[in-house]
């Protein structure tokens, strides 16, 4: 079991824990997200061979940390407010913290070269307060990497169940940082092939059911073969379309002034 450094006293969370069982390295979507992120970092010509120190906020079970370690020399701490997810982290580098970033512990001020914030911001009601707390932890000149679900008009019952308050487009994301000491370096959609499935999930996902059923229907591939097929489709898409005009998800890179 991963050693979790407890810096905060966190109560129970209502996020469906079943989601973390499906969030694994074999799932086609998580593989594709890592591939899209890797492509973005290469396009930005960031030094993946340097010993940068970062933190993933909202790291959950640590999947992104492990994937980032697989294609870079960067060391990534992990922080979350859900102990049941944190104990499943298996990162070989960095510390794992039970930590509420709004507490802004002094040892973390301007500490990190980069921060990863993947599929977190869409859950936050007050994004201004939250992002100011995130940026507290980032060095001047450091990078904040975000991934969020895209296309707000395709918000479905699945989004509601997993706590998505909104889905984003590029303007919505840029406006989140409008009055902050940062600049938007890069924005790119990915998962163009999944856009039709968002429509299907919206149209056919309105029936009621348990949280587990809705999460399964919205996220779990129906078979290993289908998972492999979707992995092939998204992998091929990323080779053909480095920066599509639309997609089911949006990656953004922000630099702190």
């Amino acid at each position: 079991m991963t050693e979790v450094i407890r810096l905060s006293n966190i109560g129970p969370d209502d996020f469906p824990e079943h989601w973390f069982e499906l969030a694994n390295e074999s799932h086609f979507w998580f593989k594709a997200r890592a591939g899209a992120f890797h492509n973005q970092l290469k396009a930005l010509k960031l030094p993946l061979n340097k010993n940068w120190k970062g933190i993933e906020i909202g790291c959950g079970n640590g999947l992104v940390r492990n994937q980032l370690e697989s294609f870079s020399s960067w060391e990534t701490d992990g922080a979350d407010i859900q102990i049941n997810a944190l104990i499943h982290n298996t990162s070989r580098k960095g510390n794992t913290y039970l930590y509420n970033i709004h507490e802004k512990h002094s040892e973390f001020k301007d500490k990190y070269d980069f921060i990863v914030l993947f599929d977190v911001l869409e859950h936050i009601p007050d994004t201004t307060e939250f992002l100011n707390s995130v940026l507290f932890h980032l060095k001047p000149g450091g990078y904040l990497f975000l991934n969020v679900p895209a296309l707000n008009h395709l918000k479905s019952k699945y989004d509601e169940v997993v706590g998505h308050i909104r889905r984003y487009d590029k303007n919505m994301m840029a406006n989140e940082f409008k009055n902050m000491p940062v600049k938007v370096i890069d924005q790119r959609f990915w998962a163009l092939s999944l856009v039709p499935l968002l429509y299907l999930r919206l149209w056919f996902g309105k029936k009621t059911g348990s949280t587990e059923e809705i999460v399964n229907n919205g996220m779990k591939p129906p078979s290993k073969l289908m998972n492999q097929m979707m992995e092939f489709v998204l992998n091929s898409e990323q080779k053909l379309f480095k920066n599509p005009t639309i997609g089911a998800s949006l990656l953004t890179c922000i630099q702190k002034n």
Side-chain angles (χ1 to χ4, degrees):
M1 183 178 293
T2 296
E3 178 185 0
V4 178
I5 301 172
R6 297 173 183 251
L7 302 179
S8 303
N9 294 317
I10 302 296
D13 189 272
D14 59 1
F15 188 84
E17 291 185 20
H18 179 60
W19 189 90
F20 291 113
E21 297 175 14
L22 302 176
N24 58 70
E25 293 183 355
S26 64
H27 193 291
F28 73 88
W29 188 86
F30 294 99
K31 283 188 173 182
R33 184 180 63 178
F37 184 32
H38 193 189
N39 287 339
Q40 182 186 45
L41 296 177
K42 289 189 292 185
L44 293 171
K45 299 181 179 179
L46 295 180
L48 297 177
N49 61 338
K50 285 193 175 181
N51 295 323
W52 277 12
K53 176 75 170 180
I55 187 169
E56 183 191 1
I57 293 174
C59 68
N61 60 7
L63 176 58
V64 177
R65 298 172 67 191
N66 288 340
Q67 291 172 323
L68 186 53
E69 287 178 4
S70 73
F71 60 75
S72 78
S73 298
W74 297 358
E75 178 180 330
T76 312
D77 290 342
D80 208 308
I81 58 173
Q82 298 183 80
I83 187 64
N84 290 336
L86 287 172
I87 59 176
H88 296 293
N89 277 246
T90 58
S91 175
R92 296 179 300 277
K93 303 176 183 178
N95 295 319
T96 302
Y97 298 108
L98 180 69
Y99 175 48
N100 181 347
I101 63 168
H102 293 304
E103 294 177 3
K104 298 180 181 177
H105 289 201
S106 59
E107 64 265 32
F108 293 121
K109 180 175 174 57
D110 299 336
K111 176 176 180 177
Y112 291 106
D113 298 300
F114 68 92
I115 293 176
V116 178
L117 194 66
F118 273 17
D119 300 283
V120 173
L121 193 62
E122 67 273 16
H123 296 271
I124 306 300
D126 187 346
T127 55
T128 299
E129 179 187 14
F130 180 75
L131 288 172
N132 279 321
S133 293
V134 169
L135 293 173
F136 170 87
H137 299 76
L138 187 63
K139 288 181 180 179
Y143 296 91
L144 170 61
F145 304 107
L146 303 101
N147 188 76
V148 291
L151 310 178
N152 198 48
H153 64 284
L154 295 180
K155 189 178 169 198
S156 66
K157 182 68 175 178
Y158 169 84
D159 291 288
E160 178 184 330
V161 166
V162 298
H164 294 174
I165 298 171
R166 67 195 78 81
R167 301 178 70 95
Y168 281 86
D169 59 34
K170 291 182 179 181
N171 286 334
M172 286 175 63
M173 178 57 71
N175 284 335
E176 294 282 19
F177 296 91
K178 190 173 181 180
N179 298 313
M180 297 184 182
V182 301
K183 54 186 175 181
V184 179
I185 299 298
D186 184 70
Q187 290 185 291
R188 58 185 63 208
F189 289 108
W190 65 276
L192 171 65
S193 305
L194 296 185
V195 172
L197 296 183
L198 292 182
Y199 280 98
L200 292 175
R201 193 164 70 183
L202 177 64
W203 294 334
F204 297 105
K206 295 181 180 180
K207 63 181 180 179
T208 58
S210 69
T211 296
E212 184 171 329
E213 288 173 337
I214 294 171
V215 171
N216 269 336
N217 292 336
M219 183 179 174
K220 186 177 181 179
S223 67
K224 288 185 178 179
L225 178 60
M226 181 59 70
N227 188 67
Q228 291 170 350
M229 289 176 61
M230 293 306 302
E231 181 182 341
F232 174 78
V233 168
L234 288 175
N235 186 48
S236 300
E237 173 192 308
Q238 290 181 7
K239 292 178 181 177
L240 292 171
F241 307 105
K242 298 295 184 183
N243 196 352
T245 57
I246 198 171
S249 295
L250 176 66
L251 279 166
T252 302
C253 177
I254 302 293
Q255 187 174 29
K256 186 176 178 180
N257 294 339

